[in-house]
Amino acid sequence: YPSFNRIQLPRNMIENSMFEEEPDVVDLAKEPCLHPLEPDEVEYEPRSSRLLVRGLGENEMDEDEEDYESSAKLLGMSFMNRSTGLRSNASGYSQSSDGSCSVPSLRTMVVCAVVLLIAVSVIMVIYLLPKCTFTKEGCHKKNHTMELIYPLATNGKRFPWAKNRLPSNVVPLHYDLILQPNLTTTEFAGSVQITVNVIQVTWNIILHSSGLNITKATLTSAGWNQAKPVEVLEYPVHDQIAVVAPDALLVGQNYTLSIDYSSNLSDTYYGFYKVSYKDEHAEKRWLAATQFEPLAARSAFPCFDEPAFKATFLIKIKRDEQHSTLSNMPKVQLSGIVQDEFSMSLKMSTYLVAFIVANLKNISKETNRTLVSIYAMPQKLGQVEHALDTAVKLLEFYQKYFHIEYPLQKLDLVAIPDFQAGAMENWGLITFRETTLLYDDKTSSAMDKKLVTAVIAHELAHQWFGNLVTMEWWNDLWLNEGFATFMEYIAMERTFPELQTDEEFLKLRFKTMMKDSLNASRPISSAVQSSEQIEEMFDTVASLLLMLKKYIKHDSFQAGIENYLHNHSYGSTRSDDLWDSMNEITNGTLDVKKLMKTWILQKGFPLVTVKRKGKSLYVQQERFLRSVESENWTSDASYLWHIPLSYTTSNCSSFLCPYAYLLDQKSATIELQEEVKWVKFNVDMNGYYIVHYAEDDWNTLINLLRTDPIALSTKDRAHLINNIFSLVGIGKVSLLKAFHLLDYLENENHTAPISQALFQLNLIYDLVEKRGMQNLAARVVDRVKKLLGSKIDQQTWTDNGTLSEREFRSTVLAFACSHHLGNCGTTATELFKEWKASNGTKSLPTDVMKTVFTAGAKTDDGWEFLLSMYTSSVSEAEKHKMLEALASTEDVRKLIWLMQTSLEGDLIRAQELSHIIATVSQSLPGHLLAWDFVKENWEKLIRKWHALNLETAYISQPEMHIFLTLQVKTFFESKSEKISQLRCVKEAIETIQLNIKWMERNLAALQQWL
Ligand SMILES: [Zn+2]
């Protein structure tokens, strides 16, 4: 367990209490040693090392600090990371895994205690003599930072607040916001009136503002006879302003703060931004929209921009005559022609506020007193029907599932023509990328349909989980997002069973486990990192929630969720609140909190080894870790999970089956009722662990697959394949045994196990191919042909069959064509020719459309035709497939042109760039090219994208050449230390090393098998 003492906390308390009028040390003091499993209270970490010494300006901040700031801005969300970084730097007693003081030996602890004492004395002295400087002593990794006492505002005056997070002495109740964006000049003017309530006497109101030019500020109160002008101090380092009140602000009183300001519409995808698009007459048009999560509401209006400061909002937008507007709430009036007013919102967080100024069209449908509308560009209105039906059905589902009505009278889902993320759950006004909302029968494939449905299901789940009940601080975002991802699957399974999303969820678990088994993995709830890293955790959390749901049974789980949402409606929560709500339901029979904490606070997941002897099953757990050092497979012995084991046996027929057993020790013995022929653990892979059996039991299972595969469910069969290859990865099982297991595939008819086998073989293919062992690679393909040849031959070039059959066809034919199996290439080229001859009017089967385009893009002629079709197509689904095909060419000039054009953002939208780079870098020469492109345009890229999506897109190719790896590493290290520490970078590098190791170990077996 990472359960460490918390002696650093008192030190912080002292530091805080010195400089604040209202020391909110309560939060810090509350938790010290009560919950040894609680992760660092990252959110309460004061920006203590930001305290500036009077006389020293911000520009003299030490370099590390600046680095934090810039990389934090870059990462959008990684501001949480700053405080963690500081923690591991400054107060090294913490559990941080990379600080030099991370393992608190007795000696370290003693030293730290002494240092603490010294620090306390030093601080006391400073407290008395506030003008002097001191150097903090501690278990630093390096740099002894100069502590600076007062932050300075831009005008040189003392800024009265030193922390990154706002004080809680003043809370917002209501915002009256008037905005006037000018889509021609890109400027906007704003005026906000914020009603605040004073909790503790103060002379200042501290709130957020970023890049706003404040022209006027006044304060009024019921007791005053007129509004008084106030001074506004700015401290851009924290995006904060301080309003200096003319009199003390009294407890319990309400005040109204009025601020007039102006700013520019952003040309990134973040904040209040502007994008251009072509309308139905191919004329250039402008649209303004918002993306506030996580920290950009402050760049549209001054506000208390933290999720826990919920308030009501009344929004008015002044606009040009030809535009229309949307916001979270329904429009109440169109006053005159230029100002739209929206009704008052419910209590909500600032990051969920949204508004759009555009010329979009919509279709609508009413359900249960809520008007659901889908908005898109007029020429795409034909593609919104699927989204409308889906949204209505899902909205109905969630209201029933949560037993809480959707509280707004309207719900708008809007397709934005240029959008960075997949979608954003703004309350009542959800924004989407066009590919995640629009569906076109003729060009959208089975997978596209699933994607649209999934994204809508995810965003709708947020209307409750996230919007109605919000995490108190961003460090619990994993819970919000993990839950929405989990609900996305539950909702789709119930509402659209024909989409067979349970198999999709299974695939997600396979993928997630692969990442989580790396050394670079992190505990879910420690330091929250960049948005990408948080995203990676969502899938783990979703998988863990599934395990919990299966263990406590669906009804209890649902009751727990309902309980949680009811208890905290319109409020803010921490992850513990969810487990507490569940515990109210389990009522002492199971401590959900205790169980879940073992999964959330430790990194990775367990490997369970099962040995069967007669009626006894001996089970044992350790950490499952893919490690580069072969001698050290089993890592830290201190890892212990509470694992809800599930298993099935040859005699499984009673209602108790599958059986459950909670393994909360290192090892245990389970007694069976009777002797059985075979036993399989982790039924349907609902649990988040890998299982290893004794030699005999593996052989029995392999034999069972061969003789009677349907004795096991399809998910169990897919799981066995995934599981055995995972074990090969850590050297527990020989590669030959895994291949031996695959031999049963000739009799397999279900897509889940076949897809999984194909996935594993593809990994091996890539491994040998990229090592230049073409001969061996060809033999892998031969082997696949032998195992799956009949299935490949059976495929038709149509859209017939169930969804899972159609998806399987997509995968198998794409594989066959790219490896020149059978007559795949010929058929695809033939279809492309016909399509081209018809000038793109002949409809192609959607599931193989990409394969056909890819075959066609191989010739200059075909490529150019495809490009011209790309620019004229109105279906994003089709364009997406075309673009992938265009980027799959081997012609270097074309690839460079594609990347360059997308960077310019005109002919190919800038939102596609990360996808293009990812596709281009799939081939080795393309990889080098993409790499050069990223390096050359680095500054432009990070400015536009704000986050590091690009980098993730680039790095996520697991099979990079080792030489490139070194380059990548050096490059990111040269950019910023923080970036090179990113999980995706670490993962990429670790994966490469693991692959090399894998080859060393398995090459012989591979040659033998082939
Ligand atoms: Zn989400």
Side-chain angles (χ1 to χ4, degrees):
Y1 286 101
S3 65
F4 296 99
N5 67 347
R6 319 206 126 233
I7 46 178
Q8 80 276 21
L9 290 173
R11 191 181 63 87
N12 288 336
M13 280 166 55
I14 294 159
E15 283 184 359
N16 291 339
S17 58
M18 292 194 309
F19 307 109
E20 288 153 20
E21 305 158 341
E22 183 278 305
D24 73 20
V25 293
V26 196
D27 286 317
L28 277 168
K30 208 160 61 184
E31 312 256 346
C33 303
L34 300 179
H35 309 291
L37 270 176
E38 185 78 34
D40 272 6
E41 301 294 326
V42 171
E43 66 279 25
Y44 290 113
E45 175 70 16
R47 295 299 314 273
S48 48
S49 32
R50 271 235 168 270
L51 307 176
L52 304 178
V53 160
R54 197 177 276 179
L56 283 180
E58 289 162 38
N59 44 350
E60 285 165 72
M61 259 181 324
D62 78 282
E63 253 172 66
D64 249 24
E65 283 290 295
E66 296 220 58
D67 236 307
Y68 270 130
E69 288 304 331
S70 54
S71 63
K73 293 243 165 79
L74 210 81
L75 295 170
M77 246 179 277
S78 69
F79 56 93
M80 308 86 153
N81 167 359
R82 287 182 287 174
S83 20
T84 336
L86 280 177
R87 180 173 287 270
S88 56
N89 254 356
S91 50
Y93 330 116
S94 73
Q95 54 130 10
S96 154
S97 56
D98 28 43
S100 55
C101 310
S102 56
V103 184
S105 66
L106 189 62
R107 190 176 142 270
T108 328
M109 277 162 59
V110 171
V111 172
C112 289
V114 172
V115 172
L116 175 72
L117 260 175
I118 297 169
V120 169
S121 340
V122 173
I123 288 161
M124 291 311 284
V125 173
I126 290 170
Y127 185 43
L128 300 169
L129 301 167
K131 280 177 196 168
C132 69
T133 309
F134 77 102
T135 306
K136 186 170 43 178
E137 286 297 331
C139 296
H140 301 247
K141 199 161 69 180
K142 48 177 185 183
N143 276 352
H144 291 213
T145 329
M146 295 286 273
E147 289 271 326
L148 307 173
I149 294 165
Y150 294 120
L152 295 176
T154 44
N155 62 0
K157 291 193 182 174
R158 171 183 175 270
F159 191 82
W161 185 249
K163 291 213 243 172
N164 202 12
R165 291 196 53 184
L166 299 178
S168 49
N169 54 3
V170 174
V171 297
L173 302 174
H174 176 72
Y175 294 79
D176 257 317
L177 178 64
I178 305 176
L179 285 159
Q180 186 171 12
N182 185 332
L183 266 55
T184 332
T185 66
T186 77
E187 280 161 1
F188 71 94
S191 161
V192 66
Q193 294 195 316
I194 314 172
T195 309
V196 299
N197 182 257
V198 175
I199 308 290
Q200 263 139 9
V201 176
T202 176
W203 286 81
N204 308 301
I205 301 172
I206 316 287
L207 67 160
H208 286 113
S209 163
S210 171
L212 304 177
N213 173 26
I214 294 172
T215 48
K216 190 180 164 202
T218 59
L219 194 64
T220 50
S221 150
W224 304 352
N225 39 25
Q226 63 175 60
K228 298 180 185 177
V230 286
E231 185 182 15
V232 178
L233 300 171
E234 297 184 39
Y235 185 51
V237 177
H238 286 172
D239 286 348
Q240 287 169 355
I241 53 173
V243 173
V244 184
D247 295 308
L249 304 176
L250 305 176
V251 175
Q253 295 274 45
N254 287 359
Y255 295 85
T256 302
L257 173 64
S258 304
I259 299 177
D260 292 348
Y261 61 95
S262 64
S263 188
N264 286 316
L265 291 169
S266 162
D267 59 354
T268 67
Y269 296 116
Y270 191 50
F272 191 14
Y273 70 94
K274 185 178 115 154
V275 292
S276 71
Y277 65 93
K278 297 257 167 54
D279 71 3
E280 64 267 48
H281 313 297
E283 270 175 48
K284 194 169 182 175
R285 296 273 202 153
W286 293 97
L287 164 156
T290 57
Q291 165 64 42
F292 288 165
E293 188 181 16
L295 306 174
R298 62 187 67 170
S299 61
F301 59 100
C303 57
F304 295 75
D305 200 8
E306 292 185 5
F309 285 120
K310 292 193 175 185
T312 52
F313 293 83
L314 200 148
I315 295 173
K316 295 172 191 163
I317 300 177
K318 293 183 177 165
R319 57 169 170 86
D320 295 338
E321 238 173 286
Q322 77 267 26
H323 290 125
S324 61
T325 60
L326 294 169
S327 183
N328 304 82
M329 303 302 290
K331 222 171 276 177
V332 283
Q333 63 178 57
L334 299 147
S335 65
I337 44 163
V338 287
Q339 179 170 303
D340 294 337
E341 180 176 338
F342 300 91
S343 60
M344 209 213 291
S345 77
L346 301 169
K347 251 182 99 182
M348 61 189 277
S349 304
T350 46
Y351 80 93
L352 295 166
V353 172
F355 30 84
I356 294 171
V357 184
N359 306 76
L360 301 172
K361 289 262 180 320
N362 68 301
I363 61 166
S364 310
K365 199 182 209 172
E366 188 170 311
T367 167
N368 198 22
R369 291 187 304 282
T370 297
L371 186 68
V372 181
S373 308
I374 315 289
Y375 283 83
M377 284 155 56
Q379 65 268 38
K380 296 184 177 173
L381 209 57
Q383 303 171 40
V384 301
E385 210 145 318
H386 171 72
L388 185 62
D389 291 342
T390 306
V392 166
K393 274 189 197 139
L394 287 168
L395 192 68
E396 285 163 0
F397 167 81
Y398 283 127
Q399 312 203 55
K400 274 191 210 124
Y401 190 90
F402 296 135
H403 287 116
I404 299 178
E405 289 204 358
Y406 172 75
L408 310 182
Q409 289 121 17
K410 67 103 174 165
L411 174 64
D412 297 333
L413 294 83
V414 185
I416 306 271
D418 209 358
F419 194 76
Q420 183 183 0
M424 173 66 210
E425 72 263 22
N426 314 303
W427 215 352
L429 182 63
I430 311 177
T431 46
F432 294 78
R433 197 179 250 250
E434 286 184 327
T435 38
T436 57
L437 190 65
L438 305 181
Y439 176 84
D440 172 34
D441 271 334
K442 286 203 190 65
T443 52
S444 299
S445 67
M447 286 184 242
D448 293 333
K449 188 176 199 172
K450 227 184 234 187
L451 173 74
V452 170
T453 316
V455 177
I456 296 176
H458 180 101
E459 302 307 327
L460 254 56
H462 273 312
Q463 305 300 305
W464 285 263
F465 220 98
N467 300 6
L468 183 66
V469 179
T470 314
M471 73 267 146
E472 187 181 289
W473 185 242
W474 298 105
N475 66 326
D476 279 332
L477 184 66
W478 57 270
L479 182 68
N480 250 15
E481 290 301 336
F483 193 86
T485 301
F486 170 78
M487 278 316 295
E488 166 191 324
Y489 288 107
I490 300 295
M492 288 207 289
E493 225 175 291
R494 299 289 190 85
T495 320
F496 304 100
E498 72 279 9
L499 293 181
Q500 291 162 312
T501 42
D502 53 334
E503 283 178 23
E504 209 62 37
F505 199 179
L506 182 70
K507 270 190 235 161
L508 181 89
R509 299 198 293 277
F510 289 152
K511 209 178 88 195
T512 316
M513 275 187 140
M514 229 169 131
K515 287 195 163 186
D516 283 348
S517 61
L518 291 173
N519 212 6
S521 75
R522 297 183 154 272
I524 292 161
S525 173
S526 67
V528 179
Q529 301 288 313
S530 71
S531 47
E532 282 73 32
Q533 288 172 315
I534 300 172
E535 265 166 43
E536 285 166 359
M537 291 168 184
F538 302 163
D539 300 342
T540 311
V541 174
S543 311
L544 294 177
L545 287 170
L546 176 74
M547 178 169 71
L548 179 66
K549 190 196 92 167
K550 289 286 172 185
Y551 186 58
I552 68 176
K553 300 287 181 281
H554 187 256
D555 289 351
S556 307
F557 186 85
Q558 188 179 349
I561 298 299
E562 196 186 319
N563 196 19
Y564 169 80
L565 291 173
H566 270 287
N567 291 347
H568 301 284
S569 288
Y570 303 102
S572 316
T573 56
R574 303 164 134 221
S575 60
D576 271 2
D577 294 320
L578 176 64
W579 313 136
D580 286 339
S581 295
M582 296 261 179
N583 273 348
E584 280 171 33
I585 303 297
T586 57
N587 205 6
T589 53
L590 173 77
D591 190 342
V592 174
K593 195 198 274 187
K594 202 166 147 197
L595 186 147
M596 290 310 283
K597 286 209 162 184
T598 67
W599 294 88
I600 279 159
L601 301 181
Q602 300 183 100
K603 63 178 190 173
F605 56 84
L607 165 69
V608 174
T609 305
V610 183
K611 284 180 188 132
R612 181 163 63 109
K613 208 166 194 193
K615 288 195 286 180
S616 303
L617 296 171
Y618 177 74
V619 289
Q620 191 188 352
Q621 62 162 294
E622 64 197 290
R623 181 173 174 206
F624 181 88
L625 180 66
R626 293 193 285 149
S627 164
V628 184
E629 294 100 59
S630 45
E631 318 78 48
N632 190 20
W633 292 126
T634 50
S635 58
D636 198 337
S638 68
Y639 280 87
L640 180 76
W641 284 266
H642 290 189
I643 314 170
L645 295 176
S646 63
Y647 60 98
T648 168
T649 69
S650 51
N651 293 8
C652 209
S653 52
S654 79
F655 68 96
L656 282 170
C657 187
Y659 307 99
Y661 181 87
L662 185 66
L663 178 64
D664 55 4
Q665 310 286 324
K666 277 269 154 196
S667 60
T669 307
I670 304 170
E671 294 296 338
L672 297 175
Q673 305 263 314
E674 58 202 321
E675 278 209 39
V676 294
K677 288 202 205 82
W678 54 264
V679 56
K680 185 202 174 267
F681 272 75
N682 201 353
V683 177
D684 288 344
M685 206 208 167
N686 289 325
Y688 207 62
Y689 54 93
I690 302 262
V691 189
H692 182 36
Y693 303 92
E695 184 83 25
D696 281 357
D697 281 312
W698 265 124
N699 292 338
T700 317
L701 285 170
I702 290 170
N703 215 18
L704 179 71
L705 282 176
R706 195 161 308 160
T707 52
D708 185 18
I710 51 164
L712 295 165
S713 74
T714 50
K715 276 185 230 163
D716 272 336
R717 302 198 300 267
H719 173 229
L720 278 178
I721 295 172
N722 177 273
N723 200 93
I724 201 162
F725 276 95
S726 302
L727 292 168
V728 171
I730 61 165
K732 289 259 181 198
V733 171
S734 74
L735 184 62
L736 279 177
K737 193 181 277 301
F739 285 146
H740 200 43
L741 185 143
L742 286 190
D743 284 342
Y744 97 95
L745 279 180
E746 283 169 69
N747 300 321
E748 178 61 82
N749 286 313
H750 203 278
T751 55
I754 298 179
S755 309
Q756 180 52 215
L758 201 56
F759 173 79
Q760 297 293 348
L761 292 170
N762 228 338
L763 282 183
I764 295 173
Y765 173 86
D766 278 347
L767 223 59
V768 291
E769 197 242 355
K770 295 264 159 71
R771 297 275 177 292
M773 304 175 190
Q774 304 305 339
N775 189 19
L776 205 57
R779 278 154 68 191
V780 176
V781 175
D782 277 350
R783 189 74 191 194
V784 174
K785 201 172 148 194
K786 209 165 152 196
L787 280 174
L788 303 174
S790 61
K791 264 131 212 144
I792 295 172
D793 292 344
Q794 281 162 18
Q795 299 305 321
T796 55
W797 294 70
T798 63
D799 279 343
N800 299 337
T802 66
L803 211 86
S804 111
E805 282 162 6
R806 293 176 58 186
E807 236 185 281
F808 180 63
R809 176 184 305 135
S810 273
T811 322
V812 158
L813 287 181
F815 180 89
C817 271
S818 64
H819 297 297
H820 315 291
L821 288 185
N823 48 10
C824 186
T826 325
T827 317
T829 313
E830 218 36 62
L831 278 170
F832 185 81
K833 275 187 191 148
E834 286 169 29
W835 180 72
K836 187 167 172 268
S838 76
N839 207 13
T841 52
K842 178 186 156 56
S843 65
L844 292 169
T846 58
D847 301 325
V848 293
M849 197 181 258
K850 199 187 99 186
T851 305
V852 172
F853 289 157
T854 307
K858 287 196 197 317
T859 65
D860 283 349
D861 225 27
W863 195 87
E864 265 146 40
F865 179 71
L866 203 56
L867 182 67
S868 73
M869 294 306 287
Y870 174 84
T871 44
S872 64
S873 170
V874 289
S875 158
E876 281 303 313
E878 187 179 48
K879 290 178 88 159
H880 191 76
K881 299 179 189 84
M882 289 173 166
L883 199 58
E884 280 195 353
L886 290 169
S888 72
T889 175
E890 280 163 12
D891 187 330
V892 173
R893 286 165 307 131
K894 291 190 179 108
L895 293 176
I896 295 176
W897 184 87
L898 278 176
M899 292 191 285
Q900 205 59 50
T901 309
S902 176
L903 183 65
E904 284 156 20
D906 220 20
L907 204 56
I908 300 172
R909 284 196 198 121
Q911 65 172 4
E912 312 295 351
L913 184 55
S914 61
H915 187 62
I916 294 178
I917 293 178
T919 314
V920 168
S921 48
Q922 264 159 19
S923 69
L924 194 59
H927 209 101
L928 292 161
L929 210 61
W931 180 234
D932 281 341
F933 179 83
V934 169
K935 275 194 298 189
E936 245 163 63
N937 298 289
W938 181 254
E939 303 302 329
K940 266 189 220 159
L941 297 175
I942 52 173
R943 210 192 74 75
K944 176 81 179 171
W945 274 269
H946 218 273
L948 290 174
N949 280 1
L950 271 166
E951 181 194 336
T952 321
Y954 186 75
I955 294 249
S956 60
Q957 302 303 326
E959 255 315 305
M960 278 192 290
H961 196 269
I962 186 72
F963 153 73
L964 263 178
T965 318
L966 290 171
Q967 272 201 22
V968 171
K969 217 175 151 205
T970 325
F971 177 73
F972 287 119
E973 271 167 6
S974 75
K975 287 299 159 195
S976 151
E977 190 187 331
K978 292 303 147 227
I979 295 174
S980 69
Q981 292 303 309
L982 279 178
R983 180 176 166 184
C984 60
V985 178
K986 285 188 179 173
E987 265 174 10
I989 293 164
E990 202 180 328
T991 306
I992 293 158
Q993 290 166 338
L994 281 169
N995 285 343
I996 295 169
K997 204 84 203 163
W998 192 96
M999 280 301 285
E1000 279 171 16
R1001 223 178 22 242
N1002 291 309
L1003 190 59
L1006 205 55
Q1007 272 157 343
Q1008 191 188 335
W1009 178 66
L1010 297 165

